Amino acid sequence: MSVEPFIGLSALLFTIGAVGVLVRRNAIVVFMCVELMLNACNLAFVTFARAHGNLDGQIAAFFVMVVAAAEVVVGLAIIVSIFRTRRSASVDDASLLKL
Amino acid sequence: MTAFWLLAPIMVVAAIGVVLARKAVHSALLLAVVMICLAMMYAMQDAPFLFAVQIIVYTGAIMMLFLFVLMLVGVDKTDSLVETIRGQRLVAVVVGVLFGFLVVTVVAQTTVGPVVGLGEANADGNVHGLARLLFNRYVFAFEATSALLITAVLGAMVLAHRERLEPKLTQRELALERMQRYAEHGEHPGNRPTPGVFARHNAVDVPALLPDGSPAEISTFKTLRERGALREGAFTTDVAVTLRKLEADGSPRERGLIEPAGPTGPADPRAEAAAGQDEEEHQ
Amino acid sequence: MTSLSSVVLAATEHAEVVPVAADGVFSWVWLVVAIPAISAAILLIGDGAGDHGPLDRFGHLLGTAASIASFVVGLVAFVALLGRDAAERAITQDLWTWIQVGGFDVTMSVYYDQLAALFVLLITGVGSLIHVYSIGYMADDPRKRRFFGFLNLFIAAMLVLVLAGDYLVLFLGWEGVGLASYLLIGFWQEKRSAAVAAKKAFIVNRVGDLGLALGIMLMFAQFGTTNIHEVGLNVSNASQSVATALGLLLLLGACGKSAQVPLQSWLLDAMEGPTPVSALIHAATMVTAGVYLVVRSAAIYDLSEVARTAVMVVGTVTLLFGAWIGCAKDDIKKALAGSTMSQIGYMMLAAGLGPAGYAFAIFHLITHGFFKANMFLGAGSVMHGMNDDVNMRHYGALRKMMPVTFVTFAIGYLAIIGFPGFSGFFSKDKIIEAAFATNFWAGLAALIGAGVTAFYMTRVMILTFFGDKRWREGVHPHESPKIMTIPLIVLAALSIAGGALTFSSWISDWLAPVTGEEHHDLPVPAIVITAVIVLVVAVGVALAYVLFGRRDVPETAPQNVSVFTRAGRADLYGDAVNEALLMRPGQYLTRSLVYVDGSGIDGAVNGTAELVGDGARGLRRLQTGFVRTYAAEIFGGALVLVLALLAVNLA
C-alpha cells in the first residue's frame, strides 16, 4: 500500500482540526479539535513506521496517546473549575491581555 | 486500499462535522467516529496494538471524559454562530485553505522511497516488537510518561477539588439551623416534597402546585428552570386543558415550556402562568 | 590717459618710500588712538554710581578733553614731521603682534606719514570742535555720557583706520567706525525711524565691507602679507588681473563707506542722528574713509587702468546723483547730505585720475571737512533755534535772528560753491582742471556738477536765511549759546584759510612721496577753465535766486512738480532699486527656505515619527487579547514556516 494517501489524509485532518480551533468558541469543542489534530499526527506516525520498516513510529504514536490522555484530564479539570466560577465555557472570556 | 478509500471520506466528513456542529455533544460523537475509523486504519497498517489502544484509551476513555464534562457544562447549550472577532472567520478560512493546500498537495506528495513494510519488525508479533523498543530504547521516555500520568491525576484532583472553607456542619447543627429558619422566617422545616407528593404529574420537568394553584419552586431543579425546561406554563384552572397540555407533543408553547428569563427567573413563570390562565379564561 | 608714463612715474615714486622706525616724538603717536579709546571705555563701561554720578555730570567734559589731548599729540607729531627730511617722513612702529597663524603674520603697527598726518589733524581737530559744540547741543539730553563715549569711540576707530600699517588693522578701524556710526545714528533709539536708519546704514555698509574683506583675502592669497607697504611693493610683480580685482574690491568697500553709487542709499537716512554726528561722521571724516582707502592703495590703482576708470565713473555718477537729490530736498540736513554725497563724488573722481589727482582729492577732502562740518553745525544751530524743525519751508528771514550762524554758514556756502578766494574754490578748481586734462566728459560732468551745487546751496541759503518769515506757532528763533557758536567761527575761519594750502602747491609737494605726482597738459590755459567755472557757478546762483529769491516759497511742498523733482525727492529711486533687486528676492528666498524647512525637513522628520506611530497603531490591533486571534497568528506563522522549509528544500 502506498503511503501518500495516508499522509494526505493526515494532513487534511490536521488542517480541519486547526481551523476548528480558530473558529469555535466553546472551550470543550476547541479541545476536541486539538485532539483531532493529535490523532492526525498519530496516523502520520504509524504510516511512516510502516514506510521505514521499524516500530519507532508506533512507539511515538503510543506516547502521543498517553500524553494526550494526561492532557485531556488536566485540561478538562481546568475547564470545569473555570465553568464553576464563571458559568461560561467560552474561550473569548479570557481577553484581558488586549492592548 | 479499498478500506482506506471507504474510510477516508467518512473521516473527513466527520472531522468537518466536529468543527461545524452546533451542539457540542454532536461534535464529541463525530469525533468518536473519526477515532474509530483511525483505529481501523491502524489495523490496516500492521499496528494491531495501537488499534486496540486507540479504541480503549482514546475513544473509550478520553471521549467519555469529554462527554461527562459536556454534561456538566451544559449538554443542551447551542453555540451561537455569530462570530464576535472581526475577520477571524476570514483569516481562519484563508489560512486554513492555504495551509491545507500546501500540506496536502505538496508535502504529502514528497516520496519517501519504497515502502519497507512491517513484516520484519512484526516478526515476533507486534506487541513483542513494541515492547522490545519500549523497554530498551525508550525506557526513559516510558518512565517519564508514567510520572506524567501520575502528575496529571494529581493535578486533576487538585483542580476539581472544592476546598471546604468552613467546618462541615454536623447533623445536629443542620437540624438546629432548620428549626431556626422555621422560627424566624416560617420556612418549611420538613423535607422537600418528592415528585408526585403534591404533583399532578410524575415527570421531573413538571412542578408541583401549591394550594393556590401556583407552581412550587422547591419541587423542581433550579437547573431545569434556568434552562427553560420546566413546563410551568402548562397549568391552567381547567384541569382538562392542563392535562391535555401536559400530555401534548407539539411546540414548546403548547407543551407549556417557558423560555428562561434570566435572573428574574422565578417570578416570570408565575406571571406567564397567570397570563396563560387568563388567556384560557377568556377563550 | 598716458598710463605707461604714470606707471613708470608711480613706480619710481613709490620705490623711494622707505619706512623709518619710530623714535622720539613719533614713538608716542599711538597715544593719539589710546587716549580717546580709554576715554570711551571709561564713559561707556564705567558705572559712575547711578544716573547722576560724577561720570554723568562730567562725562562730556572728559570726552572733549580726550579729543583735545589727542589733537595736541597729533599736532606735535605733525610739527615734528614737518621738520624731517622728505625722504624720512614714513614712520612705522610695531606695537604688538596681533595675529600669528601659520604663514599669516599681522602686527598692530602704526604707519605715520604725510597722508596720515593730515588725516590725524583733520579728525582730531574737527572732532574736538564738534565735541565742544556737542556740549552745548546735547546739554539737555539725559544720555549725553553715552553720546560722548560713542563720539570718542568713533575718533579712536577712525584714527586706527588712518594710522594702520596693515590692511587688516585698517579693516579693524573700518569696522569700528561702522559700529560707531550705527550707534550714533540710532542714538535716539526710542525713535523708530532712527533705529531703522541705523540698521540700514550698517547693512549697506556691510556690502561694502564684504568687498574690502575679499580684497584683503586676495592680498593674502597672492602676496602672503597684508602689510600696506609690502603689498604696495609686491603688487607691481603681480598680474594685471590681480591688480584690477584688488582695485575693484577696494572700490566696493570705499563705495559702502563713502556712500557712493550703488551703495549710497543709507546716507540720507543717516541724518536721523543728532546733528553733531552728521557733521563729524557723515560729512567730515567717516565718509571720507573710502577716499583715504583709494589714495592709500595708490600702488594698486596705479597699475590697473580698469580700476581707475571704475573709480572715475563712480565718482562722476555720484557727484551728479548727489547734486540732483540735493536740489529736491526740503529737509536742510538731507540737502546737506546730498551735497556731501556729491562732494565725495568729486574726491573719488580726483582719486580715479591717478597720481595727477590724488593730492587734489585729499585737498578737497580737507577743505570739505572744514566747510561741510561748518554748515552742518550751522544747520544744527538753526534747528536749535527753531525747536528742532528741519523743514526749510518753515524757516525764512533768519539772518537777523541768528547773525553769527548766518555769517558762518554764509562763509561755508561761499566755500562750497567755489567763490574765488575761499578754500573750496581752490580745491574744486584743481579737480575740475585735472578732470578736463584727463577726460573731457569727466571734466564736463564736474563742471555741470559745480553749477548744480551752486544752485541748490543758494536755494538752501535763500530758504533759510532770506525771504519772508514762515515760522510755525510758538517758534522763537534765537542765536545759539557761545559754546555752539565758537566752533562755528573757528570752522568758518578754516573754510577761508584752507585755500592757502595750495597757494604754494604745498599740499601736492607734501603728499608727493605718498601718492606720486603727475601733470597733464590742459587743452586750454588754466585761467580759462577757472573763468568758465566761475561763470557756471554764477549761472547756478542766479537761477536759484530767480526761482526762490523772487517768488514766494510755499509752506508745503507743491505736488505738481516736474518728473526730475519727483525723482530727486524719491532719492532717485535708490531704495526702490535696492528693494526690487535685493530685498524682495531675499525675502522670497528666506520664505521659501523656511517653507522647505518646515514642511520638507520637519515634515520628513515628523512624518517618519508619525509613520512609526501609525505603524505601531496598526500593529497594535493584532493584540486583541483573544486566544483565537493568537491561535490564528500561530497558524499563519506555521504556514510561513512550511513555505520557508519548502523553499529551502526545493532550491
Side-chain angles (χ1 to χ4, degrees):
Chain A
M1 283 193 284
S2 63
V3 152
E4 286 83 10
F6 287 99
I7 304 302
L9 176 64
S10 159
L12 186 58
L13 287 176
F14 185 89
T15 314
I16 293 172
V19 172
V21 166
L22 298 185
V23 171
R24 294 302 297 252
R25 262 204 301 283
N26 194 334
I28 302 179
V29 177
V30 168
F31 221 144
M32 283 195 266
C33 294
V34 171
E35 289 304 308
L36 185 55
M37 286 157 81
L38 285 169
N39 275 287
C41 296
N42 273 356
L43 180 60
F45 271 124
V46 169
T47 313
F48 279 120
R50 189 168 65 87
H52 291 301
N54 54 25
L55 292 173
D56 288 42
Q58 293 191 12
I59 296 287
F62 177 69
F63 278 122
V64 168
M65 267 185 228
V66 171
V67 172
E71 170 209 349
V72 165
V73 161
V74 175
L76 287 175
I78 293 173
I79 290 178
V80 163
S81 74
I82 289 180
F83 181 75
R84 265 199 222 137
T85 42
R86 292 218 207 162
R87 296 240 73 102
S88 156
S90 167
V91 172
D92 284 346
D93 287 346
S95 65
L96 290 173
L97 270 179
K98 69 190 300 186
L99 273 181
Chain B
M1 266 327 264
T2 45
F4 174 82
W5 289 112
L6 223 69
L7 288 171
I10 297 173
M11 284 170 77
V12 171
V13 169
I16 294 176
V18 167
V19 170
L20 295 179
R22 283 195 73 176
K23 290 205 183 180
V25 181
H26 297 170
S27 295
L29 292 173
L30 287 168
L31 187 61
V33 166
V34 172
M35 287 182 181
I36 293 177
C37 294
L38 270 175
M40 288 192 238
M41 288 210 179
Y42 294 158
M44 265 195 284
Q45 300 212 60
D46 301 331
F49 180 68
L50 277 177
F51 155 73
V53 168
Q54 172 86 358
I55 293 188
I56 297 169
V57 171
Y58 240 122
T59 324
I62 295 177
M63 286 321 297
M64 290 311 115
L65 197 54
F66 265 111
L67 284 166
F68 278 135
V69 171
L70 269 174
M71 181 192 74
L72 281 175
V73 164
V75 136
D76 274 359
K77 227 187 282 199
T78 50
D79 287 344
S80 124
L81 275 182
V82 175
E83 175 61 71
T84 46
I85 300 175
R86 233 165 27 131
Q88 175 78 1
R89 224 168 249 182
L90 178 69
V91 168
V93 166
V94 165
V95 179
V97 164
L98 278 173
F99 189 87
F101 176 75
L102 200 64
V103 174
V104 170
T105 51
V106 179
V107 173
Q109 298 307 318
T110 52
T111 50
V112 191
V115 176
V116 176
L118 286 170
E120 194 187 313
N122 281 348
D124 296 328
N126 185 246
V127 179
H128 203 90
L130 280 173
R132 197 182 291 129
L133 269 178
L134 193 61
F135 294 105
N136 281 332
R137 211 178 320 154
Y138 297 109
V139 66
F140 188 67
F142 178 75
E143 298 301 332
T145 314
S146 58
L148 170 70
L149 282 172
I150 296 171
T151 316
V153 168
L154 282 171
M157 278 204 303
V158 166
L159 282 167
H161 179 65
R162 286 203 228 203
E163 189 63 42
R164 181 170 289 280
L165 296 168
E166 300 152 342
K168 190 179 168 89
L169 293 172
T170 60
Q171 190 72 17
R172 193 187 165 76
E173 282 164 357
L174 282 171
L176 275 172
E177 269 189 20
R178 196 185 293 181
M179 286 303 134
Q180 191 86 12
R181 282 200 298 273
Y182 175 62
E184 282 176 16
H185 307 293
E187 197 180 310
H188 177 64
N191 289 347
R192 288 211 200 122
T194 55
V197 168
F198 301 129
R200 306 227 178 170
H201 204 276
N202 62 359
V204 76
D205 58 352
V206 177
L209 292 181
L210 292 172
D212 65 351
S214 54
E217 270 181 60
I218 59 173
S219 66
T220 57
F221 290 116
K222 198 169 62 150
T223 321
L224 290 175
R225 169 167 290 111
E226 276 169 11
R227 267 206 241 130
L230 283 183
R231 291 202 269 165
E232 288 163 332
F235 293 101
T236 64
T237 46
D238 190 336
V239 176
V241 172
T242 303
L243 281 172
R244 201 169 42 248
K245 276 201 174 173
L246 287 174
E247 303 302 320
D249 294 323
S251 74
R253 184 127 183 110
E254 282 174 9
R255 286 163 56 219
L257 278 172
I258 303 161
E259 281 299 307
T264 59
D268 283 341
R270 209 165 293 165
E272 274 269 18
Q277 281 176 320
D278 292 341
E279 213 177 26
E280 296 291 320
E281 276 174 333
H282 286 124
Q283 270 182 348
Chain C
M1 176 89 149
T2 51
S3 45
L4 188 61
S5 62
S6 67
V7 165
V8 168
L9 210 60
T12 47
E13 293 290 346
H14 285 291
E16 285 180 11
V17 174
V18 174
V20 181
D23 59 346
V25 154
F26 300 108
S27 52
W28 297 104
V29 169
W30 58 271
L31 272 178
V32 163
V33 178
I35 298 174
I38 293 171
S39 167
I42 295 174
L43 286 172
L44 294 174
I45 302 174
D47 188 34
D51 270 348
H52 295 288
L55 261 185
D56 286 289
R57 279 180 288 140
F58 304 115
H60 54 286
L61 295 176
L62 173 64
T64 313
S67 182
I68 294 174
S70 196
F71 174 69
V72 166
V73 175
L75 191 60
V76 167
F78 177 67
V79 168
L81 200 66
L82 277 173
R84 278 223 177 178
D85 206 31
E88 289 180 9
R89 282 191 181 142
I91 294 151
T92 175
Q93 182 185 30
D94 288 345
L95 294 174
W96 70 83
T97 309
W98 184 20
I99 299 174
Q100 196 171 39
V101 173
F104 188 45
D105 272 327
V106 177
T107 36
M108 195 66 78
S109 58
V110 172
Y111 187 78
Y112 189 69
D113 67 350
Q114 302 92 322
L115 181 65
L118 289 177
F119 266 89
V120 167
L121 285 177
L122 176 69
I123 294 164
T124 50
V126 175
S128 301
L129 287 169
I130 292 178
H131 273 79
V132 171
Y133 179 90
S134 302
I135 296 176
Y137 192 80
M138 303 295 281
D140 297 329
D141 195 301
R143 295 207 304 260
K144 62 176 188 274
R145 167 162 81 99
R146 274 178 75 208
F147 183 77
F148 279 87
F150 290 150
L151 274 184
N152 277 0
L153 176 69
F154 169 78
I155 299 273
M158 188 76 200
L159 288 167
V160 168
L161 201 161
V162 300
L163 285 173
D166 193 298
Y167 273 106
L168 205 61
V169 178
L170 189 152
F171 192 63
L172 178 70
W174 188 275
E175 295 292 291
V177 297
L179 171 68
S181 165
Y182 168 80
L183 290 169
L184 284 164
I185 294 173
F187 182 71
W188 289 317
Q189 59 206 58
E190 59 275 5
K191 269 204 307 178
R192 186 156 195 277
S193 53
V196 168
K199 203 168 52 164
K200 181 176 180 181
F202 202 89
I203 292 175
V204 176
N205 262 299
R206 213 84 197 101
V207 179
D209 295 347
L210 188 69
L212 180 56
L214 284 174
I216 295 177
M217 291 176 203
L218 184 59
M219 277 177 214
F220 177 63
Q222 286 290 320
F223 308 129
T225 174
T226 49
N227 185 296
I228 297 181
H229 186 69
E230 283 174 34
V231 166
L233 290 175
N234 285 341
V235 77
S236 45
N237 302 331
S239 70
Q240 184 77 341
S241 46
V242 167
T244 307
L246 277 174
L248 290 175
L249 285 169
L250 293 176
L251 174 63
L252 182 62
C255 282
K257 201 57 91 183
S258 298
Q260 303 291 289
V261 170
L263 297 172
Q264 85 292 352
S265 56
W266 63 273
L267 186 63
L268 265 73
D269 286 47
M271 297 299 120
E272 290 284 338
T275 309
V277 169
S278 308
L280 180 61
I281 300 183
H282 305 124
T285 42
M286 188 183 90
V287 290
T288 57
V291 181
Y292 171 79
L293 181 68
V294 172
V295 175
R296 191 44 103 195
S297 312
I300 298 172
Y301 283 99
D302 287 342
L303 288 171
S304 167
E305 181 154 352
V306 174
R308 271 206 306 273
T309 316
V311 174
M312 264 178 62
V313 167
V314 163
T316 314
V317 169
T318 307
L319 73 88
L320 292 172
F321 204 92
W324 189 337
I325 293 177
C327 291
K329 292 287 173 187
D330 292 334
D331 183 332
I332 188 171
K333 285 179 72 172
K334 289 205 158 83
L336 290 174
S339 166
T340 305
M341 196 193 291
S342 178
Q343 298 304 312
I344 300 177
Y346 272 103
M347 295 176 218
M348 279 297 205
L349 170 60
L353 296 173
Y358 289 135
F360 302 134
I362 301 298
F363 182 30
H364 193 60
L365 196 153
I366 295 173
T367 57
H368 174 263
F370 295 145
F371 55 69
K372 193 47 72 63
N374 175 20
M375 282 201 286
F376 260 110
L377 294 184
S381 174
V382 168
M383 281 161 59
H384 184 84
M386 300 296 283
N387 283 9
D388 290 327
D389 192 350
V390 287
N391 194 337
M392 288 192 288
R393 295 192 184 273
H394 301 164
Y395 292 172
L398 285 177
R399 70 180 189 280
K400 295 269 173 40
M401 314 302 303
M402 306 181 172
V404 178
T405 308
F406 167 62
V407 169
T408 51
F409 199 94
I411 291 172
Y413 155 74
L414 291 170
I416 197 174
I417 65 171
F419 195 83
F422 289 80
S423 59
F425 169 70
F426 296 104
S427 57
K428 202 184 289 190
D429 206 59
K430 282 275 177 247
I431 294 179
I432 298 177
E433 275 177 27
F436 265 120
T438 311
N439 182 321
F440 174 72
W441 295 106
L444 185 65
L447 187 63
I448 294 173
V452 181
T453 304
F455 172 75
Y456 67 74
M457 286 313 304
T458 313
R459 173 177 177 264
V460 169
M461 281 297 286
I462 292 174
L463 285 179
T464 308
F465 294 109
F466 296 94
D468 301 320
K469 299 179 197 174
R470 294 186 302 277
W471 309 337
R472 303 286 100 177
E473 282 286 327
V475 170
H476 306 291
H478 54 279
E479 187 56 85
S480 304
K482 281 236 178 30
I483 194 144
M484 285 166 69
T485 53
I486 293 196
L488 283 175
I489 296 169
V490 173
L491 284 169
L494 285 169
S495 302
I496 302 173
L501 286 173
T502 48
F503 269 132
S504 51
S505 67
W506 176 83
I507 195 161
S508 303
D509 293 335
W510 172 252
L511 285 177
V514 180
T515 62
E517 204 171 2
E518 207 175 283
H519 289 292
H520 293 266
D521 292 325
L522 296 168
V524 290
I527 194 74
V528 172
I529 296 184
T530 309
V532 170
I533 295 172
V534 171
L535 189 64
V536 169
V537 164
V539 166
V541 171
L543 192 62
Y545 175 66
V546 161
L547 282 178
F548 300 106
R550 295 267 275 257
R551 299 188 202 165
D552 283 331
V553 176
E555 302 215 349
T556 51
Q559 291 305 310
N560 55 339
V561 290
S562 70
V563 65
F564 300 108
T565 316
R566 256 197 290 267
R569 281 187 193 163
D571 295 352
L572 290 178
Y573 306 114
D575 284 339
V577 166
N578 281 344
E579 274 180 32
L581 281 182
L582 300 167
M583 186 197 96
R584 287 199 205 293
Q587 269 186 340
Y588 286 139
L589 182 68
T590 48
R591 234 178 276 152
S592 57
L593 283 176
V594 165
Y595 173 74
V596 165
D597 179 55
S599 6
I601 298 171
D602 281 357
V605 170
N606 290 343
T608 314
E610 274 200 43
L611 203 68
V612 171
D614 286 342
R617 229 170 286 135
L619 282 175
R620 182 180 61 133
R621 292 216 212 99
L622 286 175
Q623 294 254 1
T624 57
F626 293 123
V627 176
R628 294 195 289 139
T629 315
Y630 300 149
E633 287 164 16
I634 295 173
F635 199 23
L639 172 64
V640 170
L641 264 174
V642 171
L643 274 168
L645 284 169
L646 268 179
V648 165
N649 272 333
L650 288 176

